[in-house]
Amino acid sequence: DIQMTQSPSSLSASVGDRVTITCQASQDISYYLNWYQQKPGKAPKLLIYDASNLETGVPSRFSGSGSGTDFTFTISSLQPEDVATYYCQQYDNLFTFGPGTKVDIQ
Amino acid sequence: QVQLQESGPGLVKPSETLSLTCTVSGGSMSSHYWNWIRQPAGKGLEWIGRIYSSGTTNYSPSLKSRVTMSLDTSKKQFSLRLSSVTAADTAVYYCASSYSGYTFDPWGQGTLVTVSS
């Protein structure tokens, strides 16, 4: 099984701040990684696929990078509506999600 | 635009079988993977399994012995059965579509299933 870790588990930042979340896979997964946003009480929403491709309609302040075992998700300028938990998900071998990173506004 | 809606009992007794259905609207079921994903309260997401429009299934290794998925294209529904449930199976259960096979989009709103006597 491929295990996914994320850091930090939670963060608090100010509106306009740059926010970075990292995701690490237990083995090389190439670029087979997606990122989701889950707001409280809602289903997750796909933001980034194939590690760095922005899903249609998703604001350009969201971005992703990385390959192999180490990946990064960035919000270039945090907005109040970005308060959510963010999950990475690998699809190299079936599917596994990371434990999530909760993002709050300071 | 495909929309998904989960339905089924919100309470299941320990050792019994959990059964959920996901109804698809606004699009075709062909050439899609149909997934079940769950989330215990305050915890992360766990992929349970998927069924392709042809009927081919893939299940999570950790749940494989207890999971069965089926498809009824005439009703535009797919279903999940999870046997021998325990309190650890208490979670919000989501159905989700995948055209690519590797991204989950869109998702249903989720349905809470509690395992308790």
Side-chain angles (χ1 to χ4, degrees), chain A residues 1-4 23 32-34 88-98, chain B residues 45-47 104:
Chain A
D1 290 12
I2 298 175
Q3 307 302 317
M4 308 300 293
C23 174
Y32 302 147
L33 187 101
N34 303 321
C88 59
Q89 171 241 318
Q90 68 82 20
Y91 57 91
D92 179 64
N93 182 6
L94 294 181
F95 310 100
T96 314
F97 291 88
Chain B
L45 299 158
E46 179 182 23
W47 179 77
F104 304 119

Side-chain angles (χ1 to χ4, degrees), chain A residues 1 34 36 38 41-46 49-50 55 87 89 91 94-99, chain B residues 35 37 39 43-47 50 58-61 94 101-105 107-109:
Chain A
D1 290 12
N34 303 321
Y36 296 82
Q38 185 178 33
K42 300 294 186 182
K45 173 188 173 184
L46 177 68
Y49 63 93
D50 293 349
E55 177 71 351
Y87 294 93
Q89 171 241 318
Y91 57 91
L94 294 181
F95 310 100
T96 314
F97 291 88
Chain B
N35 298 267
I37 295 161
Q39 184 173 37
K43 297 189 177 180
L45 299 158
E46 179 182 23
W47 179 77
R50 68 179 180 182
N58 300 104
Y59 300 140
S60 166
Y94 293 99
Y102 59 88
T103 56
F104 304 119
D105 177 61
W107 299 55
Q109 66 184 27

Side-chain angles (χ1 to χ4, degrees), chain B residues 10-48:
Chain B
L11 181 64
V12 181
K13 289 182 168 53
S15 79
E16 295 190 345
T17 296
L18 176 160
S19 296
L20 295 174
T21 296
C22 184
T23 301
V24 180
S25 60
S28 170
M29 292 196 77
S30 63
S31 302
H32 279 72
Y33 293 89
W34 303 99
N35 298 267
W36 288 98
I37 295 161
R38 69 181 182 179
Q39 184 173 37
K43 297 189 177 180
L45 299 158
E46 179 182 23
W47 179 77
I48 300 169

Side-chain angles (χ1 to χ4, degrees), chain A residues 25-59:
Chain A
S26 59
Q27 63 188 67
D28 189 334
I29 60 169
S30 186
Y31 60 87
Y32 302 147
L33 187 101
N34 303 321
W35 289 95
Y36 296 82
Q37 174 193 65
Q38 185 178 33
K39 295 185 178 181
K42 300 294 186 182
K45 173 188 173 184
L46 177 68
L47 298 182
I48 303 282
Y49 63 93
D50 293 349
S52 61
N53 292 303
L54 197 66
E55 177 71 351
T56 302
V58 174

Side-chain angles (χ1 to χ4, degrees), chain A residues 54 58-63 74-79 81-82:
Chain A
L54 197 66
V58 174
S60 59
R61 64 180 180 274
F62 296 102
S63 64
T74 300
I75 307 173
S76 60
S77 177
L78 186 67
Q79 300 302 304
E81 60 267 32
D82 300 336

Side-chain angles (χ1 to χ4, degrees), chain B residues 87-102:
Chain B
D89 295 309
T90 294
V92 174
Y93 285 75
Y94 293 99
C95 56
S97 170
S98 176
Y99 181 76
S100 66
Y102 59 88

